[in-house]
Amino acid sequence: MSIPIPASVCWPPSDLVCTDDATTPAEMRHGLDPGTLPVYENAVLSFLYGSLPKPPVYAAATLSCAAAEEGEGADRISGLPDEILRQVLVRLPAKDGARTAVLSTRWRGLWRSAPLVLVDTHFLPRGGAEGRPPRPGALSRAVRSAVSAALRAHPGPFPFVSLSCDFMKPVDADRAVLARWFQHLATKGVEELVLVNRPSPYAGLRLPTALFSCAALRRLCLGAWRFVDTATLPRGASFPSLQELVLGAVALEDHDLDFVLAASPVLETLAFVGTVENLRARIASHSLRCVQFCLCYVEEVAVVDTPCLERLFIYRCLSKPFGMKVKIRQAPRLSMLGYLEPGVHVLEIGNTVIKPGTKPTKETTVPSVQMLALHLRFRVLDEAKMLASFLKCFPNVETLCVQSEESREPTGSLDLKYWQDSGPIKCVQSHLKTLMFRGFHGGDNEFSFLMFIAENAQVLERMILVMQLRRPSNPEDLVAKMTALKNARWASGSNKVGYMISQLGGGDSIWSLNVASDFKRGDPFSCRFNLKLKCGK
């Protein structure tokens, strides 16, 4: 008999988990069976599709005269003022909005005078038809035709356009369709644009330069494209209104990124999901507030000149054997940083590369960071030893999230004495209020670190251990360690440890682009829980 686990002790919260959008058929999400894609490509596309912005329409909406038939036969909806009717239409899928023209002369022309929200998935057949489903290519052609007709017929403006069902290839016919689409999008004032091709960028198919003619763009999400050849753009090309840019599996070079940042004077959020080539990202922007790299091949992330940057996130990125460089130069407002990987990431602050034993100075610390997330394998000695050095670089951290990962090839152990001899860590002693330790396995190196925190963190309010839902290999040893942790000499005065159970599935991710870039959310790592669970209770 299974025992239900209260939601209050389960991690992660449902709004943090990034999964596929189950409402979109698999053949339309990827353009082919996801099982035929390479693992990395499938992971990037799944992550991207789980993060696409939701259209501001209700796809199940219908206009029905049933209410009128049950009453006095009066059409009360048609009696509303034009402006209210336009607000109704803008919340309908494009094809349903266009059909209202046949309701009565009162509705005729209203669709063309209302802003258009265009989502190509709304043109897909609803429900499951009997027999074999149509081939993706046939659906793609039908959707392409419907999108082209809507873009051609409607005068705009287009507050939201999402095109993720069509499969463009490097042929003249597809280039012509793409050019016509961007001509309409630019002249009719698209404000939010989602444009995803599949399954990966084609060498002979670039986004047209007309992308930079979309002057009204505020939000842009691109997937599986080769970026515009910025060297061919006319002088003065820019995104004057762009605030958010998401690039998923987009092929671009370092100089293209430099161009985009320089040409986007009000850009606040920049996110990369997967990359086609290794990227050396030089971040220089006077408007950026949040930068994310997820599942990317990145050689270097250099925060060069970012006076407004508040959040820098690097999640599950791949690098060469020598490690990925993370350079922090000018970021005076940086308050959230993660997931740094001690022993894997080469951290450089100012002009100093942080190494074991590097002493903290004004030139080697980032005092603005208050929330820090780290990802490491405690049983790999080089990574565990770098943990203390990394922590010393961020003296004012109040919330620390540690993601522990098992290692098949442990290289050594560190006892409590190592941490005591490593010298004072200012953030631990004076500022740390919350420690969330995820992936806790009960290993000796993990335990010695937790004991060090317990005995040195003077203002600690809670220590949250997130454990996998499985039986430990040595339960007696784990119980002994937890008892010792409970009875430690807590510098904060009393036991602060609580427990949570991880319920992540094999296809789930702990990271969400949308949560991380939501400035109303003060904790993208979800470390802040109102736990009252204590050891022994």
Side-chain angles (χ1 to χ4, degrees):
M1 177 179 179
S2 62
I3 301 176
I5 302 174
S8 60
V9 297
C10 293
W11 189 91
S14 59
D15 60 346
L16 186 67
V17 177
C18 180
T19 59
D20 281 347
D21 180 6
T23 63
T24 306
E27 67 269 22
M28 299 310 298
R29 288 203 308 268
H30 293 160
L32 66 165
D33 182 0
T36 66
L37 296 174
V39 173
Y40 173 72
E41 196 172 86
N42 189 36
V44 168
L45 286 171
S46 296
F47 195 93
L48 177 64
Y49 272 93
S51 306
L52 292 181
K54 299 296 186 291
V57 296
Y58 182 51
T62 58
L63 290 178
S64 172
C65 60
E69 293 173 355
E70 294 173 0
E72 300 176 355
D75 181 0
R76 301 185 186 277
I77 294 180
S78 297
L80 295 172
D82 285 359
E83 185 55 36
I84 295 179
L85 293 181
R86 292 189 186 97
Q87 292 301 315
V88 172
L89 290 174
V90 80
R91 288 166 173 80
L92 292 175
K95 66 176 182 179
D96 293 332
R99 289 170 178 168
T100 62
V102 303
L103 292 178
S104 67
T105 56
R106 177 72 176 81
W107 289 87
R108 198 166 300 155
L110 281 176
W111 179 74
R112 286 176 51 83
S113 66
L116 176 67
V117 173
L118 180 60
V119 182
D120 60 0
T121 56
H122 294 164
F123 293 104
L124 295 175
R126 293 179 180 175
E130 296 182 1
R132 298 181 61 184
R135 294 178 302 169
L139 283 177
S140 178
R141 288 189 292 274
V143 169
R144 176 187 304 195
S145 176
V147 167
S148 296
L151 290 174
R152 183 173 59 252
H154 199 285
F158 298 152
F160 185 97
V161 175
S162 178
L163 307 177
S164 60
C165 287
D166 201 29
F167 314 133
M168 296 285 187
K169 294 184 178 180
V171 296
D172 290 341
D174 285 0
R175 293 190 186 96
V177 170
L178 196 61
R180 287 195 297 271
W181 282 4
F182 271 99
Q183 180 182 0
H184 293 305
L185 293 171
T187 58
K188 299 177 182 180
V190 62
E191 296 179 13
E192 295 187 58
L193 175 61
V194 175
L195 187 65
V196 182
N197 203 36
R198 266 122 31 244
S200 60
Y202 289 103
L205 183 63
R206 283 187 178 271
L207 288 168
T209 57
L211 173 63
F212 279 84
S213 299
C214 298
L217 268 178
R218 293 184 295 104
R219 192 178 192 185
L220 175 61
C221 181
L222 301 173
W225 290 99
R226 290 200 169 270
F227 198 71
V228 178
D229 184 0
T230 57
T232 65
L233 288 171
R235 180 176 297 181
S238 67
F239 287 131
S241 305
L242 189 64
Q243 296 175 323
E244 180 177 340
L245 175 61
V246 177
L247 302 175
V250 172
L252 81 168
E253 299 182 16
D254 299 342
H255 68 87
D256 295 321
L257 175 58
D258 295 340
F259 184 95
V260 170
L261 292 178
S264 306
V266 298
L267 185 66
E268 292 188 349
T269 299
L270 172 65
F272 289 87
V273 183
T275 49
V276 178
E277 292 100 4
N278 276 328
L279 188 66
R280 295 174 63 90
R282 181 180 180 274
I283 308 299
S285 167
H286 283 206
S287 60
L288 271 177
R289 297 176 60 194
C290 177
V291 177
Q292 300 186 58
F293 295 88
C294 306
L295 306 176
C296 295
Y297 286 97
V298 186
E299 291 186 25
E300 179 178 291
V301 174
V303 180
V304 179
D305 183 15
T306 55
C308 295
L309 186 66
E310 302 169 23
R311 304 180 175 195
L312 175 61
F313 303 124
I314 303 168
Y315 176 70
R316 293 290 188 179
C317 288
L318 308 174
S319 60
K320 292 185 176 181
F322 301 106
M324 169 185 166
K325 292 183 179 180
V326 179
K327 297 181 179 180
I328 302 177
R329 299 276 172 89
Q330 295 291 330
R333 297 179 61 182
L334 183 63
S335 59
M336 299 181 187
L337 176 62
Y339 284 82
L340 291 183
E341 300 187 29
V344 176
H345 290 164
V346 179
L347 179 61
E348 183 176 320
I349 298 177
N351 294 313
T352 302
V353 175
I354 306 303
K355 299 178 181 179
T358 299
K359 294 183 178 181
T361 66
K362 183 179 180 181
E363 289 72 29
T364 62
T365 57
V366 186
S368 59
V369 174
Q370 295 183 324
M371 185 173 290
L372 177 66
L374 302 169
H375 182 193
L376 73 154
R377 297 170 294 179
F378 272 86
R379 299 177 72 189
V380 176
L381 210 56
D382 288 343
E383 296 186 24
K385 284 184 174 181
M386 281 302 300
L387 176 56
S389 298
F390 273 34
L391 289 176
K392 291 178 181 179
C393 296
F394 307 98
N396 295 320
V397 167
E398 297 180 359
T399 301
L400 176 63
C401 178
V402 176
Q403 179 72 38
S404 179
E405 185 172 322
E406 285 189 298
S407 173
R408 296 180 180 178
E409 300 179 0
T411 60
S413 61
L414 300 175
D415 56 17
L416 179 59
K417 186 176 183 301
Y418 167 81
W419 292 101
Q420 294 170 339
D421 293 344
S422 64
I425 301 176
K426 183 179 178 181
C427 69
V428 173
Q429 290 183 325
S430 305
H431 295 277
L432 186 63
K433 296 179 180 179
T434 299
L435 169 64
M436 187 172 189
F437 195 105
R438 300 203 298 255
F440 179 66
H441 308 103
D444 293 340
N445 288 5
E446 295 175 330
F447 176 69
S448 63
F449 174 71
L450 294 176
M451 287 292 289
F452 171 74
I453 297 294
E455 295 183 357
N456 289 272
Q458 300 175 21
V459 298
L460 188 70
E461 297 175 356
R462 53 194 170 182
M463 176 188 291
I464 306 167
L465 305 184
V466 182
M467 297 179 285
Q468 300 293 328
L469 192 60
R470 63 171 183 263
R471 182 177 178 82
S473 57
N474 192 339
E476 294 80 9
D477 180 58
L478 180 59
V479 170
K481 288 177 179 176
M482 292 300 96
T483 302
L485 182 61
K486 173 186 174 183
N487 296 327
R489 298 187 302 273
W490 288 77
S492 57
S494 62
N495 169 30
K496 298 296 193 300
V497 70
Y499 304 95
M500 300 188 76
I501 301 298
S502 174
Q503 295 197 133
L504 278 172
D508 296 336
S509 167
I510 63 171
W511 193 245
S512 167
L513 288 179
N514 300 329
V515 170
S517 60
D518 183 356
F519 297 108
K520 296 179 182 178
R521 298 280 295 255
D523 178 14
F525 306 110
S526 289
C527 299
R528 295 176 178 171
F529 291 91
N530 295 320
L531 283 182
K532 296 182 179 179
L533 302 174
K534 296 286 189 69
C535 271
K537 292 189 178 182

